Amino acid sequence: KLCVISDNEAFKSSKDGDFLHVYKCHAGLAEAVFSLIMNDIVIGYIMFGQILDKADKKADKYKFIKYLSTYCDDTEECERIFSKLVSKSDTQIKAAAKIMESCACYLCVRELVKVYDDGIIFRLDSYINNNITIK
C-alpha cells in the first residue's frame, strides 16, 4: 500500500513537473519516473527503482531495515535483503534516469506507444478541461 502511494505521488510530480522525476520512495530507495505524453495527455509512465544511493547508504540502511521490520521479525533476514540491493552513486542514478528519459522520448517520437481507440480519451480530456470550474 505504501509503495502504491509513493508511486502515485511520483506519477503526479512527473506529470505536473518536467516529466522526469527522480526521488526517494517511502522506504528510502532511489527511483525515477517519466511521463509518456501524447497530445498533451499522460498515457503512461516508465520507471525504475529500488536502488540505494551510495552517499546515503548508512542512513538508508537504518530506514530500510526499520521499514522491513514491520513485515519481518528476523533482523538477520532484513540485513540479508538489504545487502542484495543495488547501490549506485547519485550521478549514476541521474545518468540512468536521463537515459530512461531519452528512451521514453524516442518511444513517443517514433509513436511506438499509442492509444488505440476512436479518440475518446482525447475528447474526454478536452471536454473536462473545457468544462471544469474551480471554486
Side-chain angles (χ1 to χ4, degrees), residues 27-41:
L29 302 175
E31 298 188 337
V33 62
F34 184 82
S35 301
L36 298 172
I37 309 288
M38 181 184 283
N39 295 338
D40 296 323
I41 298 173

Side-chain angles (χ1 to χ4, degrees), residues 31-96:
E31 298 188 337
V33 62
F34 184 82
S35 301
L36 298 172
I37 309 288
M38 181 184 283
N39 295 338
D40 296 323
I41 298 173
V42 176
I43 62 167
Y45 300 92
I46 185 170
M47 66 187 310
F48 72 80
Q50 297 82 44
I51 299 173
L52 284 171
D53 185 335
K54 283 183 180 178
D56 298 331
K57 197 166 183 175
K58 280 189 177 181
D60 287 346
K61 181 177 182 178
Y62 173 76
K63 184 175 183 175
F64 188 75
I65 289 177
K66 182 178 177 187
Y67 166 73
L68 272 184
S69 68
T70 61
Y71 302 100
C72 174
D73 293 333
D74 185 352
T75 305
E76 287 181 22
E77 178 69 7
C78 293
E79 296 260 353
R80 189 184 65 72
I81 292 169
F82 181 83
S83 70
K84 288 186 172 188
L85 292 171
V86 174
S87 180
K88 299 292 179 189
S89 71
D90 183 58
T91 302
Q92 289 172 310
I93 292 166
K94 287 179 181 173

Side-chain angles (χ1 to χ4, degrees), residues 15-35:
K15 183 181 79 162
D16 295 343
D18 293 330
F19 307 122
L20 177 63
H21 180 57
V22 181
Y23 62 100
K24 291 235 179 158
C25 73
H26 68 282
L29 302 175
E31 298 188 337
V33 62
F34 184 82
S35 301

